[in-house]
Amino acid sequence: MSRRASEAAESAPSPAIRAQLLGAPELRCSERRFALSRQRNRLLFYLLAARPGPVGRDTLYGLLWPEADEHQAHRALSQALTQIRADLPEPTALRHNRESVWLDRTVVWSDVAALDALAIGAPAARSTADLEAVVTLYRGRFLEGVSCAGQIDLEDWMLAEADRLERIVLETLAELCRRHANADRLREATVTAQRYLRFDPCDERMHRRVLFPVPAPGHPNAAIAHYRRCVDVLHRELGVAPEAATRAAYERATGHRVAVPSIV
């Protein structure tokens, strides 16, 4: 984000409603939590908050009322919009016309929309501040713990969205780790690699990054413990041994030779 854009954003009025969809969802208005009264209404609101613009009514019919005919789905959506508006502390947040439904972004902020705005373009082209902001926004998987009550198409959309957002964060963490390492900020690179591994524990590039800072002579315990975890997770998840480069990183960090384990 440019300095001018950042200053403009800071001077603009803050949206009254904040929708946190990363991790367990949470809705707040003026720092006070609030809830929508029905599960399907909550799913509808989350879907709208996650999308950057208007969502067609036909799309909503298919995701939320797949078994209903068009007349029934239209009526159900109209009732849901009325109920949501009644539950919202700022009813003007919810907008719609004959074709689409959307949220007024001057009234509603969502972490997904904010993350997507920061993640435009390749990670290498973004500022370090924007990369760090993406990582800060990501509290957990998209709509963690939310049930779709057997609505298969909606569940598929949620899983695809969760995977898309996690990929953005992994790419961001990988780029941050690279920048820290290139600047000899080894502690920051290690911490970033460890965070990456919580999402993807089989990525050996990040295991090697954790093993890279050679410990003081006579103190290889942390590297030994980490390498053992690496061996265990690769065996359990993929049925493979660490790559030669990972074994070499372990040997540099500990001074121990390691035999290539056989995988049964």
Side-chain angles (χ1 to χ4, degrees):
M1 183 183 292
S2 70
R3 181 177 177 182
R4 181 176 298 178
S6 177
E7 290 172 350
E10 290 174 2
S11 64
S14 298
I17 294 175
R18 296 179 65 83
Q20 292 186 320
L21 310 179
L22 297 168
E26 183 177 286
L27 303 178
R28 289 183 176 270
C29 184
S30 302
E31 301 305 320
R32 293 186 178 182
R33 293 182 64 176
F34 71 93
L36 302 179
S37 57
R38 297 171 183 265
Q39 171 70 353
R40 195 164 310 201
N41 293 352
R42 291 193 289 272
L43 291 171
L44 171 56
F45 189 86
Y46 298 155
L47 190 156
L48 295 173
R51 299 291 282 266
V55 182
R57 286 176 177 262
D58 288 344
T59 298
L60 297 175
Y61 297 161
L63 289 173
L64 292 160
W65 295 277
E67 304 302 324
D69 62 32
E70 185 174 359
H71 175 74
Q72 292 169 330
H74 175 83
R75 182 174 180 180
L77 176 58
S78 296
Q79 290 174 340
L81 295 176
T82 299
Q83 292 162 356
I84 292 172
R85 189 173 284 111
D87 285 341
L88 286 174
E90 294 286 342
T92 58
L94 185 61
R95 310 294 295 275
H96 61 90
N97 57 27
R98 293 180 63 182
E99 291 81 30
S100 305
V101 183
W102 68 95
L103 297 177
D104 185 340
R105 293 298 173 175
T106 66
V107 181
V108 181
W109 173 93
S110 87
D111 50 5
V112 171
L115 187 151
D116 278 333
L118 290 165
I120 295 172
R126 299 179 216 148
S127 71
T128 298
D130 283 355
L131 295 174
E132 290 172 342
V134 166
V135 174
T136 298
L137 282 169
Y138 195 81
R139 300 182 306 134
R141 288 274 291 178
F142 177 63
L143 297 183
E144 198 169 87
V146 172
S147 170
C148 292
Q151 293 165 281
I152 302 301
D153 289 344
L154 182 60
E155 184 174 3
D156 287 346
W157 172 79
M158 284 174 51
L159 289 172
E161 188 71 355
D163 288 344
R164 180 186 72 84
L165 292 163
E166 187 170 289
R167 282 195 301 273
I168 289 173
V169 174
L170 285 173
E171 291 169 356
T172 299
L173 286 168
E175 176 61 19
L176 274 174
C177 188
R178 185 189 68 80
R179 293 187 192 186
H180 289 318
N182 288 348
D184 288 330
R185 296 189 294 265
L186 300 185
R187 181 180 179 280
E188 290 87 346
T190 300
V191 169
T192 304
Q194 288 169 331
R195 182 162 187 178
Y196 185 107
L197 288 168
R198 289 201 290 271
F199 298 106
D200 184 3
C202 295
D203 191 315
E204 292 195 56
R205 297 171 306 157
M206 294 300 160
H207 284 292
R208 292 194 287 272
R209 173 50 55 193
V210 174
L211 290 166
F212 176 76
V214 179
H219 298 280
N221 292 345
I224 292 171
H226 183 85
Y227 184 75
R228 286 175 178 167
R229 288 195 295 273
C230 172
V231 170
D232 288 345
V233 74
L234 291 174
H235 187 186
R236 183 176 64 252
E237 299 295 331
L238 302 178
V240 300
E243 296 169 355
T246 306
R247 299 196 301 273
Y250 169 76
E251 291 172 1
R252 285 194 302 270
T254 64
H256 297 173
R257 292 285 296 173
V258 58
V260 180
S262 60
I263 301 298
V264 180

